[in-house]
Amino acid sequence: MTTGIAIRHYTGDQAPALRPLLLDVSTEVYADAARTDPFASPDRFAEGLDHWTARPGWSCVIGYDNDQPIGYAYGAPLPPGSRWWGGLLTQVPADVTTETGTRTYALSELMVRTPWRKTGTARRLHNTLLDARNEERATLLVDQNHPKVHALYQSWGWTTLGDLRPRLPDAPIFHAMLLGLPQGAG
């Protein structure tokens, strides 16, 4: 099923035109969770999307089966003095959380619509997005209530830095994860 998938790259200047598509896919993907979890509501997702797309360096990849969007991944570099690590509940050396604006790319969202799950599409979106980055590492947050997602990222080479609670209303506790990016090592 994934052989005919085309993945297209987008940048922040294209975000306003992409917004309806990104919201439609997320509403579908999170429909079950949104029924009981205010953190997964479409309005909450829209707020987060607007926050992320306004960040310098925002990038996105969208997978298409013919012209049908099947999933996407997006994120942006963490700026100097980023609040990303502010909710870290695990003690780590200060230099681990020091950001320069070019050190760490934050993978904010990765989602695939149900018919294309378990086809390798999520991994392709993940790799395509991160392969284009020049930062030395990437970070993401995985809800602690989703151990299968956490295990999947570990199988892709991500390591757990510690627990983190974002400074957002109703936010769960997350596993903060890191992945070294080979293009940033040089």
Side-chain angles (χ1 to χ4, degrees):
M1 186 176 222
T2 60
T3 56
I5 303 302
I7 299 178
R8 299 179 194 147
H9 291 263
Y10 299 94
T11 58
D13 59 326
Q14 298 161 307
L18 295 173
R19 188 176 191 273
L21 180 151
L22 299 176
L23 291 175
D24 286 349
V25 171
S26 70
T27 298
E28 177 184 325
V29 168
Y30 289 120
D32 289 339
R35 284 192 255 283
T36 58
D37 181 0
F39 198 70
S41 75
D43 289 343
R44 196 64 179 276
F45 187 87
E47 289 173 19
L49 175 64
D50 293 341
H51 168 79
W52 279 95
T53 57
R55 288 175 165 235
W58 181 83
S59 61
C60 177
V61 294
I62 301 175
Y64 295 89
D65 188 347
N66 293 311
D67 287 330
Q68 185 173 5
I70 62 166
Y72 58 81
Y74 70 72
L78 295 179
S82 173
R83 295 180 9 183
W84 179 270
W85 304 112
L88 200 58
L89 304 172
T90 306
Q91 293 284 26
V92 299
D95 66 325
V96 173
T97 60
T98 300
E99 295 302 336
T100 64
T102 59
R103 181 182 192 196
T104 308
Y105 183 82
L107 174 58
S108 177
E109 293 292 337
L110 171 60
M111 64 183 75
V112 175
R113 294 174 57 214
T114 302
W116 292 272
R117 291 186 187 157
K118 298 183 181 188
T119 65
T121 298
R123 182 76 186 259
R124 284 189 61 205
L125 291 167
H126 169 274
N127 290 352
T128 302
L129 180 67
L130 296 180
D131 285 351
R133 303 306 311 172
N134 292 317
E135 292 81 7
E136 87 182 49
R137 65 187 188 173
T139 185
L140 58 76
L141 303 176
V142 177
D143 186 327
Q144 287 188 345
N145 295 319
H146 298 167
K148 288 182 181 179
V149 176
H150 185 254
L152 178 67
Y153 282 118
Q154 284 182 314
S155 76
W156 294 351
W158 290 81
T159 58
T160 303
L161 177 64
D163 297 335
L164 186 144
R165 181 186 297 276
R167 295 178 183 146
L168 299 169
D170 307 322
I173 295 177
F174 291 90
H175 294 294
M177 302 185 80
L178 290 172
L179 176 71
L181 299 177
Q183 60 277 25

